[in-house]
Amino acid sequence: MAFRPRIGLLALAIGALLAPVGVILAPRDGATVLVLAASSVAAAEAVSLADGVILAPVGRFGLLARSAVPGFSTRLYSSGAALVLAGLGGGCSGQARDPFISARRSP
């Protein structure tokens, strides 16, 4: 019986340590997000249903995606995504380069 208060205190301490990580990795509107699901097919379906654009595959279970419409991460969760995190790519601006636009600048 003496273990219950210790487990609750331990859970509270772990939650307090992980909360800042959750704030940093929380996706923002208009930014690139990492969408994780049971498979990359399920992640692609969630992105499609949430009106997003797939930028690149990430392993067997995820995709990098983006949408200009606010509330994208909320729509991803309601469309079946298991986890949505701030995208890991995109350079200094945080925005991924559009794969359909050439990287070269015209003179």
Side-chain angles (χ1 to χ4, degrees):
M1 295 273 180
F3 292 112
R4 283 206 193 274
R6 290 183 184 173
I7 290 175
L9 186 60
L10 180 63
L12 181 64
I14 290 172
L17 290 173
L18 293 180
V21 174
V23 170
I24 291 170
L25 294 179
R28 291 167 179 74
D29 285 338
T32 302
V33 295
L34 174 63
V35 182
L36 298 172
S39 67
S40 59
V41 173
E45 185 175 312
V47 171
S48 175
L49 291 172
D51 297 324
V53 176
I54 298 170
L55 300 175
V58 178
R60 293 179 19 198
F61 303 104
L63 299 169
L64 283 177
R66 181 176 60 198
S67 176
V69 182
F72 183 47
S73 60
T74 305
R75 289 193 314 274
L76 283 168
Y77 281 120
S78 64
S79 299
L83 185 62
V84 180
L85 301 172
L88 304 175
C92 297
S93 69
Q95 297 292 325
R97 185 180 67 80
D98 192 336
F100 300 113
I101 298 175
S102 175
R104 287 190 229 169
R105 296 183 184 197
S106 58

